[in-house]
Amino acid sequence: AQSVTQLGSHVSVSEGALVLLRCNYSSSVPPYLFWYVQYPNQGLQLLLKYTSAATLVKGINGFEAEFKKSETSFHLTKPSAHMSDAAEYFCAVSETGGFKTIFGAGTRLFVKA
Amino acid sequence: DTAVSQTPKYLVTQMGNDKSIKCEQNLGHDTMYWYKQDSKKFLKIMFSYNNKELIINETVPNRFSPKSPDKAHLNLHINSLELGDSAVYFCASSQGQVGTDTQYFGPGTRLTVL
């Protein structure tokens, strides 16, 4: 069965600093991996998605994530944080042919001025 | 145009009552979902329908009953509401029925049971 673990329920960075949100997954077959973002009082929206086409995936708003099979990781990064990046970020995994997407517990990103 | 919409946005009710949440998507997607997000932001799937057919039914109390009158609508009816039902409920949709498809979420319905 697949699962996903997000390390750190809260991450705080200064504006302009590197953002690194960690995600590790477990899957018995090649996975599809997602990062979703949830702004306050809103639904989730897709940031980026790994579908095995390329290990480095670029998403919206300057975010990117790298799939590392050897480390079973899919960490999310952004070179320079902006105040508007403050939100809850969810890593998710699903298996090829499966029906379900399993979400991690979420990481709350705080951006300090 | 709102892609996935839910009504109501807020719902406050007493224990024991019955309530419904409605969801509509105008994306032409075949699959719709209901998720529950608890106070710690943990998101858990409850149900999934593909072309009006139930394909995922997680271990959810029988008091929760989804209904899909057509593939653009998925409503959630909850009987005999309990304090533990308080949460934010999200509707979502995707093109296909596999978990590898991107899901599009509604704005959520915050249910408070007193």
Side-chain angles (χ1 to χ4, degrees):
Chain A
Q2 69 263 43
S3 65
V4 61
T5 302
Q6 291 184 240
L7 299 174
S9 58
H10 296 85
V11 170
S12 182
V13 300
S14 298
E15 194 172 22
L18 171 72
V19 175
L20 171 60
L21 304 182
R22 300 178 186 272
C23 172
N24 288 89
Y25 70 91
S26 171
S27 178
S28 56
V29 298
Y32 279 53
L33 294 158
F34 307 78
W35 276 100
Y36 285 85
V37 60
Q38 183 181 24
Y39 297 104
N41 298 314
Q42 294 185 29
L44 282 70
Q45 57 183 278
L46 183 71
L47 267 181
L48 50 80
K49 174 180 173 181
Y50 167 75
T51 60
S52 77
T55 56
L56 184 62
V57 183
K58 294 189 184 298
I60 61 172
N61 301 337
F63 283 94
E64 63 181 37
E66 186 172 8
F67 172 70
K68 291 187 177 180
K69 184 178 178 180
S70 60
E71 299 177 9
T72 59
S73 68
F74 190 58
H75 302 332
L76 182 70
T77 60
K78 181 174 180 177
S80 176
H82 192 272
M83 297 296 286
S84 61
D85 294 327
E88 191 87 25
Y89 290 81
F90 292 90
C91 183
V93 63
S94 63
E95 294 181 343
T96 305
F99 293 117
K100 282 195 294 188
T101 300
I102 305 299
F103 287 82
T107 297
R108 181 71 184 270
L109 176 66
F110 296 91
V111 182
K112 299 174 292 187
Chain B
D1 265 356
T2 303
V4 182
S5 59
Q6 298 179 226
T7 53
K9 189 169 177 61
Y10 299 96
L11 188 51
V12 181
T13 188
Q14 301 285 332
M15 268 197 312
N17 284 350
D18 303 338
K19 290 294 178 186
S20 292
I21 306 172
K22 295 187 175 183
C23 178
E24 177 181 2
Q25 55 95 3
N26 63 7
L27 297 168
H29 287 168
D30 290 337
T31 307
M32 296 185 73
Y33 311 80
W34 277 112
Y35 285 89
K36 179 181 180 181
Q37 186 176 50
D38 63 23
S39 58
K40 295 183 178 177
K41 298 289 188 179
F42 185 68
L43 197 67
K44 184 172 170 53
I45 190 165
M46 300 172 69
F47 302 102
S48 173
Y49 271 73
N50 176 260
N51 279 321
K52 304 192 296 175
E53 298 294 324
L54 182 66
I55 56 171
I56 296 175
N57 184 355
E58 291 295 285
T59 45
V60 176
N62 290 338
R63 300 182 294 103
F64 289 79
S65 54
K67 282 192 170 50
S68 182
D70 55 60
K71 74 174 192 177
H73 295 84
L74 180 61
N75 304 322
L76 183 65
H77 188 75
I78 315 170
N79 290 325
S80 303
L81 278 155
E82 300 178 357
L83 292 176
D85 298 332
S86 295
V88 181
Y89 291 84
F90 287 101
C91 178
S93 72
S94 65
Q95 180 59 56
Q97 65 177 327
V98 292
T100 53
D101 290 338
T102 299
Q103 294 181 36
Y104 295 80
F105 285 78
T109 295
R110 183 176 294 276
L111 171 64
T112 303
V113 182
L114 303 175

